[in-house]
């Protein structure tokens, strides 16, 4: 049985304001039947608030309209939640409690101790547990509000990554990124320019007294910023286990979804300002494709599948890739795989195997 998804196309059919994406979004929310999911319940809205100098995250306009719609639908309480460190700089992107109309809550509390642990038996390549956000688990309803973008480790980030990497502890993110492999520093290639150290978001790198790169793995989250930013390609990842990373993310998302009845899960993917890297990169790069629109539904697998299918219909915008970037010529591959050399559909397949939904969907377009 196919999943029903709602789709609001960004491009208006006419230039009347009623056909703009902002007004379509409100009609989409009305069709989503929010009262049945959120009525008299506490709603956790998980979104990524971005970081640093980046501004290609979800526009505050849409967040405010979503919160208003959830309140109008009868929610007892609603709050936005994300990583503690990203909340601290959220005001730079216009993200405030006054703008949203609700609280902004750290996923694991101010002290990073508000989480619940679930064992993984048998362990998956060293991942022996899943540590999930206490703030989200205390809510009755999970509303996954995601900005879709490319990603160097897993091909793309959408609804699943917003949960698996954003609704967990710092230690859990480290375990997940560790599934990709370890860091290897090639001394003979290194120019000691310091780009890796200056751009490490976790302060995990330094040169020791002998000029050798020292990685403090307690802080390292294996995000690969150092790998991608090194001008001499002196840092690489071993193993290249992106499929293990994808599966680990799917397992984590699945465990979180298990904590909520199916009728209390909502997924909204924003297919706008689709850039090459994750929003945690603290910068905004040119969008890769034209703005597509908004997808919504109650099945995470269908939403992710449709997201990737819609993206793959688009042509890459000229000069949107970093200079010298290697784009695979094989057009039978998904656009994100041509860019990042990793199949983005892998996480969708893993989610479906784990019983999180179906990849078969039917789109209902919002007029």
């Amino acid at each position: 049985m196919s999943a029903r998804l709602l789709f609001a196309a960004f491009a208006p059919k006419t230039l009347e304001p009623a056909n703009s994406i902002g007004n379509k979004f409100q009609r989409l929310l009305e069709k989503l039947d929010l009262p049945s999911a959120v009525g008299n319940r506490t709603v956790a809205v998980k979104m990524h608030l971005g970081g640093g100098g980046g501004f290609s995250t979800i526009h505050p306009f849409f967040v405010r309209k979503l919160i208003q719609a959830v309140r109008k639908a009868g929610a007892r309480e609603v709050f936005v939640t994300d990583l503690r460190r990203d909340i601290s700089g959220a005001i730079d992107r216009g993200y405030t409690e006054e703008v949203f109309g609700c609280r902004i809550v750290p996923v694991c509390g101010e002290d990073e101790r508000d989480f619940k642990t679930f064992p993984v038996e048998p362990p998956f390549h060293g991942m022996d547990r899943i540590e999930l956000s206490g703030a989200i688990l205390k809510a009755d309803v999970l509303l996954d509000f995601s900005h879709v973008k490319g990603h160097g480790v897993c091909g793309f980030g959408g609804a699943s990554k917003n949960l698996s990497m954003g609704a967990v502890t710092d230690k859990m993110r480290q375990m997940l990124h560790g599934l990709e492999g370890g860091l290897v520093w090639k001394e003979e290639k290194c120019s000691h320019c310091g780009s890796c150290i200056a751009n490490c978001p976790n302060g995990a790198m330094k040169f020791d007294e002998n000029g050798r790169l020292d990685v403090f793995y307690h802080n390292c989250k294996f995000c690969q910023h150092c790998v991608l930013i090194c001008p001499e390609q002196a840092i690489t990842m071993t193993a290249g286990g992106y499929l293990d990373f994808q599966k680990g993310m799917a397992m984590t998302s699945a465990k979180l979804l298990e904590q909520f009845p199916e009728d209390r899960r909502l997924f909204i993917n924003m297919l706008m300002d689709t850039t090459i890297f994750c929003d945690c990169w603290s910068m905004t790069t040119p969008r890769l494709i034209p703005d597509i629109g908004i997808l919504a539904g109650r099945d995470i697998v269908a939403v992710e599948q449709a997201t990737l299918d819609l993206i793959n219909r688009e042509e890459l915008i000229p000069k949107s890739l970093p200079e010298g970037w290697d784009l695979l010529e094989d057009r039978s591959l998904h656009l994100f795989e041509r860019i990042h050399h990793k199949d983005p559909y892998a996480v969708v397949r893993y989610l479906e195997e784990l019983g999180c939904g179906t990849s078969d969907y039917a789109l209902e377009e919002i007029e």
Side-chain angles (χ1 to χ4, degrees):
M1 184 176 179
S2 63
R4 170 179 169 265
L5 301 180
L6 301 177
F7 173 60
F10 192 100
K13 292 182 178 178
T14 72
L15 292 181
E16 297 171 270
N19 292 323
S20 67
I21 190 62
N23 286 312
K24 284 183 184 177
F25 181 55
Q26 295 187 72
R27 294 196 290 275
L28 179 150
L29 293 174
E30 291 169 4
K31 282 217 168 193
L32 198 54
D33 188 20
L34 289 173
S36 68
V38 310
N40 199 33
R41 298 186 178 109
T42 299
V43 182
V45 177
K46 174 62 188 75
M47 60 177 289
H48 188 196
L49 302 177
F55 54 86
S56 52
T57 48
I58 299 173
H59 195 286
F61 172 91
F62 294 101
V63 188
R64 183 175 176 85
K65 294 302 180 185
L66 174 62
I67 300 303
Q68 290 174 342
V70 170
R71 288 195 183 282
K72 184 179 178 181
R76 183 171 64 250
E77 182 186 1
V78 57
F79 62 90
V80 166
T81 185
D82 195 18
L83 309 181
R84 180 185 58 178
R85 67 169 181 264
D86 291 333
I87 290 175
S88 64
I91 191 172
D92 292 338
R93 279 159 291 287
Y95 295 155
T96 67
E97 294 187 355
E98 182 180 23
V99 169
F100 286 178
C102 70
R103 293 185 301 137
I104 303 176
V105 177
V107 290
C108 294
E110 292 291 348
D111 58 2
E112 285 289 310
R113 294 181 180 180
D114 184 14
F115 63 91
K116 185 174 180 180
T117 301
F118 299 82
V120 175
E121 299 175 349
F124 179 65
H125 297 296
M127 191 178 90
D128 60 356
R129 65 192 183 279
I130 294 173
E131 298 176 348
L132 297 179
S133 158
I136 292 176
L137 293 177
K138 292 183 185 76
D140 304 308
V141 179
L142 172 59
L143 203 164
D144 185 357
F145 195 32
S146 306
H147 171 237
V148 177
K149 58 273 178 182
H151 197 279
V153 182
C154 52
F156 96 113
S160 177
K161 187 174 182 297
N162 188 36
L163 300 181
S164 60
M165 299 301 288
V168 298
T169 63
D170 284 341
K171 184 63 178 178
M172 188 69 226
R173 281 189 295 280
Q174 183 182 31
M175 280 192 287
L176 286 167
H177 270 306
L179 295 172
E180 169 70 5
L183 292 175
V184 175
W185 176 63
K186 299 176 182 177
E187 185 174 7
E188 68 279 7
K189 285 190 171 185
C190 181
S191 65
H192 290 78
C193 68
S195 291
C196 56
I197 297 170
N199 290 282
C200 176
N202 304 298
M205 291 182 152
K206 67 177 182 179
F207 287 116
D208 65 19
E209 61 275 12
N210 297 314
R212 295 185 57 81
L213 187 66
D214 181 24
V215 180
F216 183 44
Y217 282 101
H218 178 77
N219 285 359
C220 176
K221 302 298 185 294
F222 298 99
C223 63
Q224 292 202 58
H225 285 208
C226 58
V227 175
L228 294 168
I229 207 165
C230 177
E232 308 299 334
Q233 297 182 320
I235 305 173
T236 57
M237 288 285 287
T238 60
Y242 87 92
L243 289 176
D244 289 340
F245 180 51
Q246 292 266 37
K247 187 169 184 178
M249 287 200 304
M251 292 168 62
T252 304
S253 294
K255 181 56 67 175
L256 180 59
L257 295 179
E258 283 177 13
Q259 314 310 310
F260 295 86
E262 290 184 13
D263 62 350
R264 298 185 192 176
R265 311 172 192 164
L266 297 166
F267 307 94
I268 302 176
N269 272 8
M270 307 294 281
L271 285 77
M272 309 174 193
D273 294 313
T274 304
T275 53
I276 187 172
F277 296 129
C278 179
D279 296 329
C280 68
W281 262 68
S282 300
M283 61 183 290
T284 286
T285 54
R287 67 186 66 180
L288 298 171
I289 54 176
D291 291 329
I292 296 173
I294 305 170
L295 268 171
R298 300 182 182 229
D299 185 313
I300 191 173
V301 179
V303 167
E304 296 283 72
Q305 178 77 36
T307 292
L308 290 171
D309 290 349
L310 287 169
I311 288 171
N312 208 36
R313 296 176 188 174
E314 301 296 329
E315 291 290 331
L316 190 70
I317 295 175
K319 298 183 179 180
S320 60
L321 292 178
E323 186 175 350
W325 197 269
D326 178 24
L327 180 69
L328 297 178
E329 295 295 330
D330 186 353
R331 287 182 169 268
S332 68
L333 302 175
H334 190 278
L335 177 61
F336 279 151
E337 185 169 4
R338 294 175 63 205
I339 293 171
H340 290 295
H341 305 184
K342 298 175 177 71
D343 178 11
Y345 284 109
V347 73
V348 182
R349 293 192 294 270
Y350 288 134
L351 286 167
E352 191 165 23
E353 289 172 7
L354 290 166
C356 295
T358 176
S359 57
D360 187 15
Y361 64 88
L363 288 184
E364 178 183 340
E365 186 163 353
I366 303 298
E367 296 296 337

